[in-house]
mmCIF file of all heavy atoms in Angstrom:
data_model
loop_
_atom_site.group_PDB
_atom_site.id
_atom_site.type_symbol
_atom_site.label_atom_id
_atom_site.label_comp_id
_atom_site.label_asym_id
_atom_site.label_seq_id
_atom_site.Cartn_x
_atom_site.Cartn_y
_atom_site.Cartn_z
ATOM 1 N N GLY Z 1 90.174 96.212 132.871
ATOM 2 C CA GLY Z 1 90.770 96.252 131.524
ATOM 3 C C GLY Z 1 91.911 97.241 131.404
ATOM 4 O O GLY Z 1 92.532 97.346 130.336
ATOM 5 N N VAL Z 2 92.164 98.043 132.454
ATOM 6 C CA VAL Z 2 93.176 99.080 132.384
ATOM 7 C C VAL Z 2 94.539 98.494 132.057
ATOM 8 O O VAL Z 2 95.238 98.920 131.142
ATOM 9 C CB VAL Z 2 93.237 99.920 133.664
ATOM 10 C CG1 VAL Z 2 94.474 100.816 133.690
ATOM 11 C CG2 VAL Z 2 91.962 100.764 133.796
ATOM 12 N N ALA Z 3 94.972 97.496 132.841
ATOM 13 C CA ALA Z 3 96.326 96.922 132.665
ATOM 14 C C ALA Z 3 96.491 96.290 131.289
ATOM 15 O O ALA Z 3 97.469 96.623 130.581
ATOM 16 C CB ALA Z 3 96.616 95.925 133.774
ATOM 17 N N PRO Z 4 95.604 95.418 130.839
ATOM 18 C CA PRO Z 4 95.826 94.806 129.526
ATOM 19 C C PRO Z 4 95.772 95.807 128.377
ATOM 20 O O PRO Z 4 96.538 95.713 127.420
ATOM 21 C CB PRO Z 4 94.715 93.765 129.393
ATOM 22 C CG PRO Z 4 93.728 94.074 130.469
ATOM 23 C CD PRO Z 4 94.479 94.749 131.577
ATOM 24 N N ARG Z 5 94.894 96.818 128.463
ATOM 25 C CA ARG Z 5 94.845 97.820 127.422
ATOM 26 C C ARG Z 5 96.119 98.643 127.363
ATOM 27 O O ARG Z 5 96.622 98.988 126.291
ATOM 28 C CB ARG Z 5 93.613 98.750 127.608
ATOM 29 C CG ARG Z 5 92.320 98.084 127.218
ATOM 30 C CD ARG Z 5 91.113 98.942 127.624
ATOM 31 N NE ARG Z 5 91.086 100.203 126.883
ATOM 32 C CZ ARG Z 5 90.408 100.384 125.767
ATOM 33 N NH1 ARG Z 5 89.726 99.373 125.219
ATOM 34 N NH2 ARG Z 5 90.363 101.563 125.172
ATOM 35 N N THR Z 6 96.647 98.954 128.544
ATOM 36 C CA THR Z 6 97.908 99.733 128.595
ATOM 37 C C THR Z 6 99.051 98.916 128.012
ATOM 38 O O THR Z 6 99.832 99.422 127.202
ATOM 39 C CB THR Z 6 98.230 100.122 130.061
ATOM 40 O OG1 THR Z 6 97.156 100.933 130.575
ATOM 41 C CG2 THR Z 6 99.532 100.877 130.146
ATOM 42 N N VAL Z 7 99.167 97.673 128.443
ATOM 43 C CA VAL Z 7 100.223 96.798 127.952
ATOM 44 C C VAL Z 7 100.141 96.638 126.446
ATOM 45 O O VAL Z 7 101.143 96.696 125.716
ATOM 46 C CB VAL Z 7 100.219 95.459 128.679
ATOM 47 C CG1 VAL Z 7 101.196 94.475 128.009
ATOM 48 C CG2 VAL Z 7 100.579 95.631 130.139
ATOM 49 N N THR Z 8 98.927 96.408 125.944
ATOM 50 C CA THR Z 8 98.747 96.225 124.516
ATOM 51 C C THR Z 8 99.172 97.477 123.721
ATOM 52 O O THR Z 8 99.860 97.376 122.716
ATOM 53 C CB THR Z 8 97.258 95.919 124.209
ATOM 54 O OG1 THR Z 8 96.893 94.705 124.855
ATOM 55 C CG2 THR Z 8 97.023 95.805 122.710
ATOM 56 N N PHE Z 9 98.779 98.650 124.220
ATOM 57 C CA PHE Z 9 99.143 99.891 123.536
ATOM 58 C C PHE Z 9 100.654 100.093 123.523
ATOM 59 O O PHE Z 9 101.241 100.393 122.482
ATOM 60 C CB PHE Z 9 98.483 101.075 124.193
ATOM 61 C CG PHE Z 9 98.924 102.406 123.651
ATOM 62 C CD1 PHE Z 9 98.472 102.875 122.436
ATOM 63 C CD2 PHE Z 9 99.845 103.193 124.340
ATOM 64 C CE1 PHE Z 9 98.909 104.070 121.892
ATOM 65 C CE2 PHE Z 9 100.283 104.422 123.833
ATOM 66 C CZ PHE Z 9 99.817 104.857 122.609
ATOM 67 N N LEU Z 10 101.294 99.899 124.677
ATOM 68 C CA LEU Z 10 102.743 100.114 124.767
ATOM 69 C C LEU Z 10 103.498 99.105 123.906
ATOM 70 O O LEU Z 10 104.477 99.436 123.227
ATOM 71 C CB LEU Z 10 103.193 100.071 126.222
ATOM 72 C CG LEU Z 10 102.642 101.170 127.120
ATOM 73 C CD1 LEU Z 10 103.061 100.942 128.570
ATOM 74 C CD2 LEU Z 10 103.105 102.551 126.652
ATOM 75 N N ALA Z 11 103.039 97.859 123.941
ATOM 76 C CA ALA Z 11 103.704 96.821 123.139
ATOM 77 C C ALA Z 11 103.532 97.114 121.648
ATOM 78 O O ALA Z 11 104.485 96.986 120.862
ATOM 79 C CB ALA Z 11 103.148 95.449 123.479
ATOM 80 N N SER Z 12 102.332 97.509 121.258
ATOM 81 C CA SER Z 12 102.126 97.806 119.836
ATOM 82 C C SER Z 12 102.891 99.020 119.398
ATOM 83 O O SER Z 12 103.317 99.126 118.260
ATOM 84 C CB SER Z 12 100.622 98.005 119.542
ATOM 85 O OG SER Z 12 100.143 99.159 120.200
ATOM 86 N N SER Z 13 103.118 99.982 120.349
ATOM 87 C CA SER Z 13 103.907 101.162 120.019
ATOM 88 C C SER Z 13 105.333 100.780 119.695
ATOM 89 O O SER Z 13 105.958 101.297 118.754
ATOM 90 C CB SER Z 13 103.868 102.174 121.192
ATOM 91 O OG SER Z 13 102.561 102.649 121.405
ATOM 92 N N ARG Z 14 105.910 99.853 120.451
ATOM 93 C CA ARG Z 14 107.249 99.408 120.184
ATOM 94 C C ARG Z 14 107.298 98.655 118.832
ATOM 95 O O ARG Z 14 108.200 98.870 118.030
ATOM 96 C CB ARG Z 14 107.741 98.473 121.287
ATOM 97 C CG ARG Z 14 107.977 99.175 122.622
ATOM 98 C CD ARG Z 14 108.411 98.177 123.700
ATOM 99 N NE ARG Z 14 109.702 97.575 123.334
ATOM 100 C CZ ARG Z 14 110.868 98.079 123.684
ATOM 101 N NH1 ARG Z 14 110.944 99.220 124.360
ATOM 102 N NH2 ARG Z 14 112.000 97.492 123.336
ATOM 103 N N TRP Z 15 106.288 97.842 118.563
ATOM 104 C CA TRP Z 15 106.232 97.091 117.313
ATOM 105 C C TRP Z 15 106.043 98.026 116.131
ATOM 106 O O TRP Z 15 106.693 97.877 115.110
ATOM 107 C CB TRP Z 15 105.102 96.080 117.379
ATOM 108 C CG TRP Z 15 104.901 95.319 116.128
ATOM 109 C CD1 TRP Z 15 105.741 94.364 115.564
ATOM 110 C CD2 TRP Z 15 103.791 95.404 115.232
ATOM 111 N NE1 TRP Z 15 105.220 93.876 114.406
ATOM 112 C CE2 TRP Z 15 104.043 94.520 114.166
ATOM 113 C CE3 TRP Z 15 102.621 96.155 115.227
ATOM 114 C CZ2 TRP Z 15 103.131 94.357 113.110
ATOM 115 C CZ3 TRP Z 15 101.726 95.988 114.170
ATOM 116 C CH2 TRP Z 15 102.001 95.104 113.143
ATOM 117 N N ARG Z 16 105.209 99.066 116.325
ATOM 118 C CA ARG Z 16 104.948 99.972 115.230
ATOM 119 C C ARG Z 16 106.168 100.866 114.953
ATOM 120 O O ARG Z 16 106.199 101.574 113.968
ATOM 121 C CB ARG Z 16 103.735 100.839 115.528
ATOM 122 C CG ARG Z 16 102.413 100.077 115.417
ATOM 123 C CD ARG Z 16 101.239 100.990 115.687
ATOM 124 N NE ARG Z 16 101.275 101.572 117.009
ATOM 125 C CZ ARG Z 16 100.325 102.398 117.457
ATOM 126 N NH1 ARG Z 16 99.338 102.726 116.704
ATOM 127 N NH2 ARG Z 16 100.440 102.890 118.695
ATOM 128 N N GLY Z 17 107.147 100.848 115.857
ATOM 129 C CA GLY Z 17 108.362 101.607 115.589
ATOM 130 C C GLY Z 17 109.056 101.147 114.322
ATOM 131 O O GLY Z 17 109.778 101.902 113.678
ATOM 132 N N VAL Z 18 108.819 99.911 113.921
ATOM 133 C CA VAL Z 18 109.409 99.379 112.681
ATOM 134 C C VAL Z 18 108.502 99.721 111.477
ATOM 135 O O VAL Z 18 108.963 100.043 110.405
ATOM 136 C CB VAL Z 18 109.593 97.847 112.787
ATOM 137 C CG1 VAL Z 18 110.188 97.310 111.494
ATOM 138 C CG2 VAL Z 18 110.479 97.525 113.976
ATOM 139 N N ARG Z 19 107.199 99.682 111.706
ATOM 140 C CA ARG Z 19 106.257 99.838 110.606
ATOM 141 C C ARG Z 19 105.692 101.252 110.472
ATOM 142 O O ARG Z 19 104.971 101.546 109.534
ATOM 143 C CB ARG Z 19 105.059 98.908 110.848
ATOM 144 C CG ARG Z 19 105.413 97.465 111.026
ATOM 145 C CD ARG Z 19 104.178 96.636 111.359
ATOM 146 N NE ARG Z 19 103.175 96.733 110.296
ATOM 147 C CZ ARG Z 19 102.033 97.352 110.411
ATOM 148 N NH1 ARG Z 19 101.715 97.959 111.559
ATOM 149 N NH2 ARG Z 19 101.174 97.392 109.437
ATOM 150 N N GLY Z 20 105.962 102.117 111.414
ATOM 151 C CA GLY Z 20 105.308 103.430 111.415
ATOM 152 C C GLY Z 20 104.210 103.380 112.444
ATOM 153 O O GLY Z 20 103.620 102.363 112.719
ATOM 154 N N ALA Z 21 103.943 104.512 113.084
ATOM 155 C CA ALA Z 21 102.973 104.536 114.208
ATOM 156 C C ALA Z 21 101.562 104.696 113.676
ATOM 157 O O ALA Z 21 101.002 103.795 113.039
ATOM 158 C CB ALA Z 21 103.327 105.661 115.147
ATOM 159 N N VAL Z 22 100.904 105.814 113.946
ATOM 160 C CA VAL Z 22 99.522 106.006 113.498
ATOM 161 C C VAL Z 22 99.459 105.948 111.979
ATOM 162 O O VAL Z 22 98.540 105.455 111.388
ATOM 163 C CB VAL Z 22 98.997 107.373 114.014
ATOM 164 C CG1 VAL Z 22 97.639 107.665 113.448
ATOM 165 C CG2 VAL Z 22 98.962 107.361 115.534
ATOM 166 N N GLY Z 23 100.480 106.484 111.356
ATOM 167 C CA GLY Z 23 100.589 106.474 109.892
ATOM 168 C C GLY Z 23 102.061 106.602 109.543
ATOM 169 O O GLY Z 23 102.876 106.966 110.388
ATOM 170 N N PRO Z 24 102.425 106.362 108.291
ATOM 171 C CA PRO Z 24 103.851 106.461 107.926
ATOM 172 C C PRO Z 24 104.413 107.839 108.080
ATOM 173 O O PRO Z 24 105.617 108.017 108.099
ATOM 174 C CB PRO Z 24 103.838 106.005 106.450
ATOM 175 C CG PRO Z 24 102.426 106.240 105.996
ATOM 176 C CD PRO Z 24 101.568 105.997 107.180
ATOM 177 N N ASP Z 25 103.519 108.871 108.213
ATOM 178 C CA ASP Z 25 103.980 110.241 108.307
ATOM 179 C C ASP Z 25 103.768 110.806 109.705
ATOM 180 O O ASP Z 25 103.774 112.015 109.912
ATOM 181 C CB ASP Z 25 103.244 111.150 107.286
ATOM 182 C CG ASP Z 25 101.774 110.767 107.168
ATOM 183 O OD1 ASP Z 25 101.243 110.156 108.109
ATOM 184 O OD2 ASP Z 25 101.170 111.033 106.127
ATOM 185 N N SER Z 26 103.563 109.952 110.703
ATOM 186 C CA SER Z 26 103.391 110.398 112.071
ATOM 187 C C SER Z 26 104.511 109.852 112.950
ATOM 188 O O SER Z 26 105.061 108.794 112.650
ATOM 189 C CB SER Z 26 102.027 109.945 112.623
ATOM 190 O OG SER Z 26 101.969 108.534 112.672
ATOM 191 N N PRO Z 27 104.832 110.539 114.047
ATOM 192 C CA PRO Z 27 105.955 110.071 114.881
ATOM 193 C C PRO Z 27 105.600 108.831 115.699
ATOM 194 O O PRO Z 27 104.457 108.560 115.992
ATOM 195 C CB PRO Z 27 106.194 111.271 115.802
ATOM 196 C CG PRO Z 27 104.890 111.952 115.878
ATOM 197 C CD PRO Z 27 104.242 111.773 114.536
ATOM 198 N N VAL Z 28 106.626 108.068 116.021
ATOM 199 C CA VAL Z 28 106.448 106.845 116.800
ATOM 200 C C VAL Z 28 106.514 107.194 118.278
ATOM 201 O O VAL Z 28 107.442 107.882 118.702
ATOM 202 C CB VAL Z 28 107.558 105.861 116.448
ATOM 203 C CG1 VAL Z 28 107.441 104.596 117.307
ATOM 204 C CG2 VAL Z 28 107.523 105.513 114.981
ATOM 205 N N PRO Z 29 105.540 106.739 119.071
ATOM 206 C CA PRO Z 29 105.644 106.975 120.508
ATOM 207 C C PRO Z 29 106.888 106.299 121.088
ATOM 208 O O PRO Z 29 107.131 105.117 120.834
ATOM 209 C CB PRO Z 29 104.357 106.328 121.064
ATOM 210 C CG PRO Z 29 103.457 106.179 119.916
ATOM 211 C CD PRO Z 29 104.348 105.986 118.725
ATOM 212 N N LYS Z 30 107.667 107.035 121.838
ATOM 213 C CA LYS Z 30 108.834 106.451 122.498
ATOM 214 C C LYS Z 30 108.381 105.925 123.849
ATOM 215 O O LYS Z 30 107.933 106.696 124.715
ATOM 216 C CB LYS Z 30 109.955 107.488 122.677
ATOM 217 C CG LYS Z 30 111.207 106.932 123.279
ATOM 218 C CD LYS Z 30 112.303 107.976 123.385
ATOM 219 C CE LYS Z 30 113.562 107.391 124.010
ATOM 220 N NZ LYS Z 30 114.636 108.416 124.143
#
């Protein structure tokens, strides 16, 4: 599960760059 979990996290990080990361007041992972 390492590869799919990593890909999912990195992909969601890019997607959350538009919506905000952990919360609207937290930084977006680059």
Side-chain angles (χ1 to χ4, degrees):
V2 168
R5 284 172 65 94
T6 299
V7 170
T8 298
F9 173 77
L10 295 175
S12 65
S13 296
R14 292 178 64 88
W15 176 69
R16 286 183 300 180
V18 180
R19 304 176 60 250
V22 174
D25 39 23
S26 63
V28 177
K30 184 178 180 181

